[in-house]
């Protein structure tokens, strides 16, 4: 077999140049056979033989063996190591041209070849961006009526559309209009093929919105017909369209201007209605998408109060009972965005015992780091934004203190900091209530470690010292501070390069000296 293969490759080199039809067909059949038996090994030999460069000339519309050559390319491009060589051999442009062929077999093999070359490969996608593939594919797509052909083009389009430059080219070539038409035609059909096409089409639509430029082009200041059509998907009865609609809104909601415009134009009510329809049936993907959209819309400061008064927190809290981590994660993120600097809302939520107990439970979700992190951050946010004694009492009663102390040792500085600020507020407002929990969570030892550690960020050192001073009001914690040689660590920090840290070290040192 191996000798046979090298002979075939040698022979192919000669026949490819002088294009002797019969022997050429024979050689190509041999290669396809070899690839069927051992794809990887044969591909390596094809790569070493330099034959790829010759394939471009065999892919012309006049060539009688173009379908077989495209088939060979599709086979070798199943191997990741062959994708860049196919691009370097200049095969993309001739393959793209073949998409105009009337021959079914040629179209099928060309589609496979292009799909496999750009599958998962960043650099080959960049090469594609400099060809007119987007335009050709969209033109071809508009001509197709058969389901299989359209699916094949979809299979080439989806990986290509992951590249931002190509997203924009596809939008400019009019792909979106085609997709919207498909959705309109297929939405009420229960035929298997139509359901598949509706899903593929609406998924691709959402993918196009992941590019900043393509998304902004389609938003058109909220006046765009595409944006309006997508809005109409949300109240539809088709789950796939509801999902795509909510994901599209989440993608449009990637900058403040868009978010503010959408909230002012009633998108929040539409999303809340959608969530309401899925409280009982537990359609996780739709819940997740609608919550993602609400979370993004809640980022601009001006939207928070509007969304709170529209009743978003109540709508979101209906999902507290969800056992699905993706839904839990988005629910937490949405609430955290909504209460940012909204004291009244933070107080109301922080006194909600059901919510706080669920947060404490999720703080222990070891298998779901995302949910665990978001629960901790929301606990801390409830205290930081409400600065309320009642909220602190609720969190103490629900057993939340130990989680905030653990959060102070997080590997993420932002989370450490949020924990320390919340703990300082607890110590300032409700030290008596929290004293026992702070003690059993070994807070003082942790603060000593944070201050002694060279690697702690300046803001961590600063907030740890502020917290130490606040803890002095408790007799038992004060004693713990005295037992650990805090003066040594703190006096070293007086010469810290960060001015705020150095100043806080002097103040803390005085406080420790006076009270010792």
């Amino acid at each position: 077999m191996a000798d046979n293969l090298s002979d075939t490759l040698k022979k192919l080199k000669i026949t490819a140049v002088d294009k002797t039809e019969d022997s050429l067909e024979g050689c190509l059949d041999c290669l396809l056979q070899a690839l069927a038996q051992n794809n990887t090994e044969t591909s390596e030999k094809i790569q070493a033989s330099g034959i790829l460069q010759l394939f471009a000339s065999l892919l012309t519309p006049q060539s009688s063996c173009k379908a077989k050559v495209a088939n060979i390319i599709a086979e070798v491009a199943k191997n990741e190591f062959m994708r860049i060589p196919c691009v370097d051999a200049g095969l993309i442009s001739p393959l793209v041209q073949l998409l105009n062929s009337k021959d079914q077999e040629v179209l099928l093999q060309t589609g496979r070849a292009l799909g496999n070359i750009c599958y998962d490969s960043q650099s080959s996608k960049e090469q594609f961006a400099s060809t007119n593939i987007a335009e050709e594919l969209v033109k071809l797509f508009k001509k197709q009526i058969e389901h299989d052909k359209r699916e094949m083009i979809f299979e080439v389009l989806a990986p290509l559309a992951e590249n931002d430059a190509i997203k924009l080219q596809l939008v400019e070539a009019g792909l979106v209009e085609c997709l919207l038409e498909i959705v309109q035609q297929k939405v009420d059909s229960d035929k298997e093929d139509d359901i598949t096409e509706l899903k593929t089409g609406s998924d691709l639509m959402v993918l196009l919105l992941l590019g900043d430029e393509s998304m902004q082009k389609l938003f058109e200041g909220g006046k765009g017909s595409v944006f309006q059509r997508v809005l109409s998907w949300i109240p539809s009865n088709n789950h796939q369209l509801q999902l795509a609609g909510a994901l599209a809104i989440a993608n449009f909601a990637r900058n403040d201007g868009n978010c503010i415009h959408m909230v002012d134009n009633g998108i929040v009510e539409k999303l809340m209605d959608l969530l309401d329809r899925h409280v009982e049936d537990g359609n996780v993907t739709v819940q997740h998408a609608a919550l993602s959209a609400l979370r993004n819309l809640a980022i601009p400061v001006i939207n928070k109060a509007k969304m709170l008064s529209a009743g978003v927190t109540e709508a979101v809290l209906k999902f507290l009972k969800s056992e699905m981590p993706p839904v839990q994660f988005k629910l937490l993120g949405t609430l955290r965005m909504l209460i940012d600097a909204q004291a009244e809302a933070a107080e109301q939520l922080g006194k909600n015992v059901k919510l706080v107990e669920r947060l404490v439970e999720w703080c222990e979700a070891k298998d779901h780091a995302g949910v665990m992190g978001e629960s901790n951050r929301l606990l801390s946010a409830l205290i930081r934004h409400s600065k309320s004694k009642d909220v602190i009492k609720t969190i103490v009663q629900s057993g939340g203190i130990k989680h905030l102390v653990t959060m102070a040792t997080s590997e993420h500085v932002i989370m450490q900091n949020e924990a320390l600020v919340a703990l300082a507020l607890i110590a300032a407002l409700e030290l008596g209530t929290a004293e026992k929990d702070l003690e059993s969570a070994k807070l003082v030892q942790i603060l000593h470690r944070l201050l002694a550690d060279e690697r702690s960020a300046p803001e961590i050192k600063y907030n740890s010292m502020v917290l130490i001073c606040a803890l002095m009001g408790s007799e038992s914690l004060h004693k713990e501070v005295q037992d650990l040689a805090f003066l040594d660590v703190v006096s070293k920090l007086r010469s810290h390069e960060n001015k705020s840290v150095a100043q806080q070290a002097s103040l803390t040192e005085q406080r420790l000296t006076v009270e010792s």
Side-chain angles (χ1 to χ4, degrees):
M1 182 76 210
D3 301 342
N4 213 344
L5 181 60
S6 4
D7 291 347
T8 304
L9 289 167
K10 279 187 200 132
K11 197 164 160 198
L12 191 57
K13 273 194 165 158
I14 303 161
T15 48
V17 180
D18 59 20
K19 299 198 173 50
T20 7
E21 299 291 337
D22 304 340
S23 46
L24 190 55
E25 291 278 341
C27 290
L28 295 172
D29 286 335
C30 263
L31 276 191
L32 282 167
Q33 242 176 324
L35 283 163
Q37 284 179 353
N38 187 336
N39 190 318
T40 316
E41 197 180 317
T42 308
S43 296
E44 283 167 352
K45 294 207 163 126
I46 290 177
Q47 154 75 331
S49 72
I51 198 94
L52 279 179
Q53 278 66 21
L54 299 175
F55 282 170
S57 67
L58 300 176
L59 287 170
T60 57
Q62 308 78 279
S63 159
S64 62
C65 56
K66 50 187 179 284
K68 273 185 185 159
V69 175
N71 187 355
I72 291 171
I73 296 169
E75 286 303 316
V76 299
K78 286 178 176 172
N79 302 289
E80 190 163 349
F81 66 86
M82 290 299 286
R83 289 175 195 151
I84 306 288
C86 285
V87 174
D88 293 343
L91 301 179
I92 292 193
S93 196
L95 283 169
V96 171
Q97 295 316 311
L98 286 182
L99 290 173
N100 292 306
S101 166
K102 301 270 182 291
D103 181 326
Q104 294 297 325
E105 180 64 12
V106 171
L107 277 176
L108 172 72
Q109 300 303 350
T110 304
R112 284 184 60 228
L114 286 168
N116 289 352
I117 292 173
C118 68
Y119 182 77
D120 247 10
S121 163
Q122 223 24 68
S123 33
S124 62
K125 282 175 202 154
E126 271 150 33
Q127 302 280 145
F128 276 104
S130 58
T131 67
N132 60 345
I133 189 163
E135 213 178 321
E136 291 289 346
L137 283 172
V138 175
K139 228 188 315 191
L140 187 67
F141 190 79
K142 287 177 176 163
K143 285 192 274 198
Q144 291 311 328
I145 310 137
E146 291 163 57
H147 169 74
D148 293 345
K149 291 281 258 317
R150 277 158 81 151
E151 274 300 307
M152 180 206 84
I153 300 170
F154 270 144
E155 276 167 29
V156 182
L157 281 172
L160 279 178
E162 285 169 14
N163 175 293
D164 280 359
I166 299 179
K167 281 188 183 75
L168 196 58
Q169 291 171 6
L170 290 169
V171 168
E172 285 169 348
L175 178 60
V176 172
E177 290 68 20
C178 299
L179 297 176
L180 289 171
E181 205 169 304
I182 288 181
V183 166
Q184 207 163 5
Q185 289 165 1
K186 314 288 178 186
V187 64
D188 298 319
S189 165
D190 41 20
K191 284 194 359 223
E192 194 63 42
D193 281 357
D194 290 347
I195 293 170
T196 314
E197 218 165 294
L198 178 76
K199 177 171 171 27
T200 318
S202 51
D203 283 349
L204 189 51
M205 180 77 200
V206 172
L207 183 58
L208 291 175
L209 293 174
L210 278 172
D212 287 336
E213 280 185 89
S214 47
M215 178 271 287
Q216 218 40 48
K217 192 175 169 63
L218 295 170
F219 188 67
E220 292 179 64
K223 308 271 184 290
S225 58
V226 174
F227 171 65
Q228 297 300 333
R229 284 280 278 286
V230 167
L231 271 187
S232 71
W233 293 356
I234 295 176
S236 96
N237 288 319
N238 181 303
H239 284 188
Q240 171 59 32
L241 276 196
Q242 295 170 0
L243 170 64
L247 286 173
I249 297 302
N251 283 338
F252 280 126
R254 285 209 312 278
N255 64 51
D256 284 7
N258 292 4
C259 288
I260 292 165
H261 182 282
M262 288 192 278
V263 168
D264 287 345
N265 285 279
I267 187 68
V268 171
E269 289 68 22
K270 284 194 172 68
L271 289 166
M272 281 168 31
D273 289 344
L274 177 60
L275 275 175
D276 247 3
R277 293 160 68 180
H278 290 286
V279 174
E280 294 313 322
D281 78 343
N283 184 318
V284 177
T285 47
V286 176
Q287 291 173 2
H288 179 261
L291 288 167
S292 297
L294 287 171
R295 180 195 174 280
N296 289 0
L297 290 166
I299 292 172
V301 176
I302 192 170
N303 281 354
K304 297 182 198 293
K306 293 176 185 166
M307 290 175 72
L308 289 166
S309 59
V312 173
T313 36
E314 293 74 18
V316 169
L317 286 171
K318 289 179 188 162
F319 294 91
L320 256 190
K321 55 181 192 291
S322 170
E323 290 305 331
M324 292 300 179
V327 174
Q328 297 167 350
F329 180 73
K330 286 296 175 189
L331 169 149
L332 292 163
T334 307
L335 292 176
R336 190 164 62 80
M337 286 303 157
L338 280 171
I339 62 166
D340 192 9
Q342 307 295 311
E344 202 181 317
E347 175 151 17
Q348 211 181 341
L349 281 175
K351 293 193 296 200
N352 177 333
V353 179
K354 262 207 180 93
L355 168 67
V356 174
E357 284 179 347
R358 193 72 162 132
L359 290 182
V360 170
E361 183 188 327
W362 286 340
C363 282
E364 290 166 9
K366 299 270 186 292
D367 305 339
H368 300 286
V371 173
M372 198 161 101
E374 277 293 339
S375 306
N376 276 307
R377 293 189 74 182
L378 184 52
L379 265 187
S380 151
L382 291 169
I383 295 171
R384 287 182 298 115
H385 298 302
S386 72
K387 301 185 174 52
S388 145
K389 288 172 170 259
D390 289 338
V391 170
I392 294 171
K393 284 178 185 156
T394 309
I395 290 175
V396 172
Q397 279 152 10
S398 307
I401 296 297
K402 61 173 185 287
H403 297 298
L404 290 170
V405 175
T406 307
M407 183 180 167
T409 63
S410 161
E411 54 192 336
H412 305 289
V413 174
I414 190 162
M415 284 174 68
Q416 278 186 295
N417 223 9
E418 288 171 357
L420 291 169
V421 173
L423 288 164
L425 282 164
I426 293 171
L429 297 168
E430 276 296 322
L431 187 52
T433 316
E435 183 178 51
K436 281 205 168 38
D437 290 353
L438 293 171
E439 225 175 305
S440 60
K442 305 224 181 320
L443 173 62
V444 175
Q445 288 83 329
I446 285 171
L447 292 174
H448 190 276
R449 214 168 56 228
L450 289 175
L451 287 173
D453 187 346
E454 316 263 276
R455 293 162 310 187
S456 298
E459 59 268 42
I460 301 301
K461 296 199 155 145
Y462 177 86
N463 283 322
S464 297
M465 289 187 282
V466 170
L467 184 47
I468 285 293
C469 295
L471 295 176
M472 303 293 257
S474 143
E475 208 172 309
S476 54
L477 291 166
H478 185 173
K479 187 176 176 326
E480 286 191 12
V481 171
Q482 281 175 316
D483 292 346
L484 281 170
F486 265 90
L487 264 172
D488 303 349
V489 237
V490 172
S491 55
K492 278 195 193 119
L493 291 173
R494 278 197 339 221
S495 53
H496 196 279
E497 54 190 2
N498 181 299
K499 277 213 179 65
S500 309
V501 172
Q503 270 174 325
Q504 187 56 44
S506 298
L507 291 170
T508 309
E509 189 181 38
Q510 286 165 11
R511 187 77 193 269
L512 289 168
T513 319
V514 169
E515 312 224 352
S516 60

